[in-house]
C-alpha cells in the first residue's frame, strides 16, 4: 500500500466504528494522523477503541442527523486542535423495495442520514477549515448515486445528492486550500449488506465487470490519497471505484 504523510493532521471519520470508516481510520493512523471517529453505535465504538488501543485514536458518540450535537462536538475539538480532514462516511441503505411501495418515513430517514448528515458535518466543520486555509473532505457516495439501482430509490437519490453537494461545495471552496471530493464504491462486504435482500446484493454484483466485491483497503487507499496534501488540485470531483461498472 502507498503511504501518504498525514503527520500532524487531525481527521474526523463519521461512521468510523466499522466497515469502510474503520478501515479508513486505520489507514489514517498508519499514515500518522490523529483520528476521531464519530458514530451513533456506542457499543461498536467501545469495542473499536479497546481493540485498537492507539493514543492517536479517539471516539465521540455523534448522530450525524443532529446538527446541534455536531456543533457542540466540533466546538469541543477545535478548542485545542484543528480539523484538517473530514470523511463523510456514515450511511445506511434502508429497505430494498420499489418506489411505489416505499414507506415515506423510511425514505426520509435514509435521505436524512446520507444526505442531510453529510450537509450537517460539512456545515459545522468547513468554517474551521476556511479559518485555517486547509482542508480535505471526502464524501463516501456510491455507484448507485450515478447509476440508480432498482429497488433502492431512496439510497440512490441520497447518494446522487451527495455527489451534487460535493460538486457545489468543491466549487465554493476552490479558491482556498480545501479539496472536496466524492468516491463512488461498488458493493463491499460490510455490515451494510445485511440491510439488503440476497437477491439485491446478487443483482449489484452481477453488474460489476471485475466480478467481485470491492475490498476495504482498496477504498481506504484511494481515500487516503484524496485526504493528503498531495491531492492539491483535484476538487469537486467524483472518483470511481466500481470495478468497471460505471465508466463515467
Ligand atoms: N459496503 C458497500 O457495499 C458500500 C458500497 C457503496 C457505498 N457505501 C457507503 O459507504 C459508507 C459506509 O458503509 P459501510 O458499508 O462501511 O457500512 P457499515 O454499516 O458497516 O458502517 C456504517 C457506519 O455508519 C454508522 N451510522 C449510521 N447512521 C449513523 C448516524 N446517523 N450517525 C452516526 N453514525 C451512523 C453505523 O453505526 C456504522 O458504524 C456508507 O455511506 C455507504 O452508503 C457502502
Amino acid at each position: 500500500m502507498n503511504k501518504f504523510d498525514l503527520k500532524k493532521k487531525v481527521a474526523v471519520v463519521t461512521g468510523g466504528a466499522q466497515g469502510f470508516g474503520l478501515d479508513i481510520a486505520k489507514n489514517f493512523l498508519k499514515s500518522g494522523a490523529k483520528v476521531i471517529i464519530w458514530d451513533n453505535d456506542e457499543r461498536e465504538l467501545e469495542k473499536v477503541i479497546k481493540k485498537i488501543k492507539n493514543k492517536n485514536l479517539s471516539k465521540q458518540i455523534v448522530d450525524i442527523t443532529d446538527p446541534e450535537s455536531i456543533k457542540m462536538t466540533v466546538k469541543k475539538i477545535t478548542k485545542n486542535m484543528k480539523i484538517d480532514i473530514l470523511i463523510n462516511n456514515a450511511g445506511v441503505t434502508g429497505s430494498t423495495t420499489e418506489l411505489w411501495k416505499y414507506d415515506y418515513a423510511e425514505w426520509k430517514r435514509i435521505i436524512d442520514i446520507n444526505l442531510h448528515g453529510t450537509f450537517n458535518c460539512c456545515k459545522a466543520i468547513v468554517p474551521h477549515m476556511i479559518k485555517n486555509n486547509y482542508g480535505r473532505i471526502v464524501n463516501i457516495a456510491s455507484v448507485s448515486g450515478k447509476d440508480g439501482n432498482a429497488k433502492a430509490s431512496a439510497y440512490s437519490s441520497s447518494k446522487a445528492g451527495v455527489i451534487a453537494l460535493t460538486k457545489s461545495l468543491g466549487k465554493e471552496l476552490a479558491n482556498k486550500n480545501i479539496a472536496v471530493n466524492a468516491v463512488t464504491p461498488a458493493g463491499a462486504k460490510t455490515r451494510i449488506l445485511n440491510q439488503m435482500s440476497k437477491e439485491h446484493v446478487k443483482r449489484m454484483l452481477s453488474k460489476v465487470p471485475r466480478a467481485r466485491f470491492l475490498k476495504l483497503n482498496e477504498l481506504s487507499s484511494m481515500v487516503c490519497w484524496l485526504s493528503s496534501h498531495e491531492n492539491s488540485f483535484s476538487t469537486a470531483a467524483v472518483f470511481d471505484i466500481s470495478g468497471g461498472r460505471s465508466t463515467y
Side-chain angles (χ1 to χ4, degrees):
M1 189 178 281
N2 286 330
K3 275 228 167 147
F4 295 98
D5 182 8
L6 299 183
K7 278 187 217 92
K8 298 195 180 136
K9 300 288 184 230
V10 176
V12 168
V13 181
T14 74
Q18 58 204 309
F20 282 156
L22 180 56
D23 206 71
I24 292 166
K26 286 181 184 165
N27 204 341
F28 282 177
L29 289 171
K30 274 190 217 148
S31 308
K34 266 193 197 320
V35 183
I36 306 164
I37 47 176
W38 286 3
D39 210 290
N40 63 351
D41 188 331
E42 206 172 335
R43 229 179 49 157
E44 286 300 320
L45 275 177
E46 277 302 332
K47 273 206 278 192
V48 165
I49 295 291
K50 272 194 193 139
K51 196 167 166 199
I52 296 187
K53 284 194 192 95
N54 184 317
K55 67 173 176 22
N56 285 328
L57 179 70
S58 59
K59 62 162 170 69
Q60 282 164 336
I61 301 158
V62 177
D63 183 337
I64 59 160
T65 64
D66 180 352
E68 274 316 302
S69 123
I70 294 172
K71 222 162 102 183
M72 274 166 46
T73 311
V74 169
K75 207 169 160 190
K76 226 188 280 170
I77 301 173
T78 52
K79 259 188 193 149
N80 47 24
M81 59 175 110
K82 304 175 279 140
I83 299 174
D84 305 287
I85 298 166
L86 167 63
I87 309 300
N88 284 303
N89 163 78
V92 291
T93 55
S95 44
T96 45
T97 188
E98 289 88 350
L99 181 144
W100 59 94
K101 294 178 192 159
Y102 227 93
D103 179 67
Y104 184 43
E106 173 75 341
W107 170 281
K108 284 200 285 194
R109 183 180 75 89
I110 295 160
I111 304 287
D112 203 28
I113 298 172
N114 296 355
L115 179 57
H116 300 167
T118 302
F119 165 80
N120 290 335
C121 296
C122 289
K123 187 172 162 71
I125 293 178
V126 162
H128 298 279
M129 291 181 166
I130 293 176
K131 210 162 85 190
N132 298 322
N133 194 33
Y134 187 87
R136 298 288 181 267
I137 299 174
V138 182
N139 297 325
I140 312 300
S142 163
V143 69
S144 67
K146 289 166 124 188
D147 285 10
N149 278 346
K151 300 192 178 181
S153 55
Y155 183 70
S156 303
S157 304
S158 72
K159 294 299 187 179
V162 168
I163 291 172
L165 178 156
T166 305
K167 293 179 180 177
S168 297
L169 183 62
K171 286 177 182 137
E172 287 165 8
L173 295 169
N175 63 350
K176 301 180 171 51
N177 188 7
I178 302 174
V180 188
N181 291 291
V183 294
T184 56
K189 281 187 185 159
T190 66
R191 190 192 63 157
I192 213 169
L193 290 197
N194 304 338
Q195 297 170 33
M196 308 171 201
S197 64
K198 282 206 173 83
E199 295 71 43
H200 189 74
V201 174
K202 217 169 136 190
R203 202 166 41 242
M204 272 168 42
L205 194 58
S206 71
K207 293 180 185 187
V208 177
R210 284 236 193 255
R212 67 162 170 85
F213 287 105
L214 165 68
K215 294 176 188 157
L216 299 190
N217 67 306
E218 289 169 334
L219 181 82
S220 58
S221 185
M222 179 183 266
V223 170
C224 204
W225 173 72
L226 283 168
S227 306
S228 73
H229 67 270
E230 288 189 38
N231 170 30
S232 46
F233 198 58
S234 291
T235 195
V238 182
F239 287 75
D240 189 71
I241 180 151
S242 68
R245 172 175 161 181
S246 172
T247 54
Y248 61 97

